[in-house]
C-alpha cells in the first residue's frame, strides 16, 4: 500500500487531508509539527510527503532539508500560504516535486499526488541521470560519479554541481551561482560559492571545475 506522510501544524487541515487520502486507498501518516514530521519521514520512509511550508519552531524548509539530506529520493509536495516567491523557488530548487497554494481543493491535491506518484514509477531511470563526459550525477540520490569514483553530496554541493552540469563549458559568475543555489542577491562580501566549490573539488578524482579569474567558475572536460 502506498504510504503518504502529511505534516501540517493545523490539526483540522491534517484530518481533512487524511480523510481524503484514506478514501483513495492510501495509508496515511500524520504529524502536526516539523520535528515530529522530520523524525517520521526518516524512520517510516513514505512514498510521498505532503509538507506545510510555514510551521513554528521547525518550519517546512528545515524539514525538507533534513529529509532530502538523508533520503534524497523522497518526493515532497509543499503546501504553502506564503506569497513569497523566493520561498517557493527555494523549495523547488531544494528538491520539492510540487507546490500547492493554500487554500486548496482536495480534488486538486489528490490529482497532483496521483500524478507525482505515477511519474516516479513511469519514468526511465536514465532520465534522472545527468552526464557530462566522465561525470554522472543522479538527481534522485545526489550521488556524483567521476571516472568511476563515487561520492555523496550535501544539498548545496548537489545544487551547485547540478547547475554546472546543466551548463557545461559555460562560465558561471559568482552572482549567478549565489542566486541559483542559495537564492541570494549578489553580495560581493560572501565567499560561500568558493567554499562550496572547494568541497566539491575535494570529492572528485580530477579538477573539472575551473576558476575563471575575477568572474566565477566553469565546468570543463579536457
Amino acid at each position: 500500500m502506498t504510504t503518504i506522510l502529511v505534516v501540517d501544524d493545523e490539526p483540522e487541515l491534517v484530518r481533512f487531508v487524511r480523510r481524503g487520502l484514506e478514501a483513495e486507498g492510501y495509508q496515511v501518516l500524520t504529524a502536526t509539527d516539523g520535528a515530529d514530521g522530520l523524525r517520521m519521514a526518516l524512520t517510516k520512509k513514505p512514498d510521498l510527503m505532503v509538507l506545510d511550508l510555514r510551521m513554528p519552531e521547525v518550519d517546512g524548509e528545515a524539514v525538507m532539508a533534513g529529509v532530502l539530506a538523508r533520503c534524497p529520493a523522497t518526493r515532497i509536495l509543499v503546501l504553502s500560504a506564503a506569497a513569497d516567491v523566493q520561498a517557493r523557488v527555494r523549495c523547488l530548487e531544494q528538491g520539492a516535486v510540487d507546490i500547492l497554494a493554500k487554500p486548496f481543493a482536495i480534488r486538486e491535491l489528490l490529482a497532483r499526488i496521483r500524478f507525482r506518484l505515477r511519474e516516479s514509477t513511469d519514468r526511465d531511470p536514465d532520465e534522472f541521470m545527468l552526464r557530462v563526459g566522465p561525470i554522472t550525477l543522479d538527481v534522485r540520490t545526489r550521488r556524483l560519479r567521476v571516472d568511476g569514483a563515487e561520492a555523496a553530496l550535501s544539498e548545496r554541493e548537489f545544487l551547485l554541481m547540478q547547475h554546472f552540469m546543466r551548463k557545461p563549458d559555460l562560465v558561471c559568475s559568482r552572482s549567478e551561482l549565489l542566486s541559483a543555489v542559495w537564492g541570494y542577491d549578489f553580495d560581493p562580501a560572501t565567499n560561500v560559492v568558493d567554499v562550496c566549490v572547494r568541497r566539491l573539488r575535494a570529492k572528485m578524482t580530477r579538477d573539472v571545475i575551473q576558476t575563471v579569474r575575477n568572474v566565477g567558475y566553469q565546468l570543463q572536460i579536457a
Side-chain angles (χ1 to χ4, degrees):
M1 183 181 291
T2 300
T3 301
I4 297 176
L5 171 61
V6 180
V7 184
D8 196 296
D9 65 330
E10 299 179 51
E12 290 186 6
L13 185 143
V14 170
R15 287 193 291 270
F16 170 68
V17 172
R18 180 172 194 157
R19 286 196 298 270
L21 291 171
E22 288 179 338
E24 293 289 308
Y26 297 115
Q27 180 179 2
V28 183
L29 305 173
T30 63
T32 53
D33 64 78
D36 195 32
L38 175 58
R39 178 187 60 79
M40 292 184 71
L42 296 178
T43 57
K44 302 298 184 180
K45 295 181 171 55
D47 297 288
L48 184 140
M49 186 175 182
V50 177
L51 177 65
D52 184 27
L53 188 60
R54 287 188 172 177
M55 293 183 289
E57 298 183 12
V58 182
D59 67 15
E61 288 190 62
V63 173
M64 186 185 310
V67 172
L68 294 179
R70 295 179 58 182
C71 301
T74 304
R75 307 185 69 75
I76 300 177
L77 187 154
V78 169
L79 299 178
S80 173
D84 183 1
V85 175
Q86 287 285 2
R88 293 170 184 250
V89 170
R90 283 196 303 270
C91 287
L92 292 170
E93 290 181 339
Q94 190 173 342
V97 297
D98 206 347
I99 294 179
L100 181 60
K102 290 182 175 181
F104 57 86
I106 189 65
R107 290 177 60 189
E108 182 178 4
L109 175 62
L110 293 173
R112 287 174 182 250
I113 287 173
R114 284 193 296 268
F115 175 75
R116 295 305 176 184
L117 289 171
R118 185 171 65 248
E119 180 184 52
S120 67
T121 57
D122 289 351
R123 291 175 64 181
D124 186 332
D126 280 348
E127 291 184 42
F128 295 99
M129 302 295 291
L130 294 177
R131 292 184 174 85
V132 177
I135 308 170
T136 60
L137 181 65
D138 190 322
V139 300
R140 296 168 302 173
T141 64
R142 301 187 184 186
R143 298 198 71 83
L144 174 70
R145 184 181 292 270
V146 181
D147 295 325
E150 191 173 273
L153 303 182
S154 69
E155 172 199 339
R156 298 299 179 187
E157 291 165 355
F158 164 75
L159 292 173
L160 185 60
M161 194 65 195
Q162 179 179 239
H163 192 86
F164 283 136
M165 292 185 70
R166 294 191 187 281
K167 294 188 170 185
D169 296 321
L170 297 180
V171 177
C172 301
S173 69
R174 285 179 175 82
S175 59
E176 173 189 339
L177 296 171
L178 273 173
S179 177
V181 178
W182 284 268
Y184 296 165
D185 291 329
F186 180 64
D187 178 358
T190 186
N191 69 339
V192 294
V193 173
D194 306 286
V195 171
C196 198
V197 167
R198 285 199 295 271
R199 291 202 304 262
L200 266 177
R201 284 170 167 166
K203 293 184 176 184
M204 293 186 282
T205 54
R206 64 162 114 168
D207 187 8
V208 296
I209 302 175
Q210 304 298 317
T211 300
V212 180
R213 189 177 178 85
N214 298 323
V215 180
Y217 296 96
Q218 176 186 34
L219 182 67
Q220 191 177 87
I221 308 299

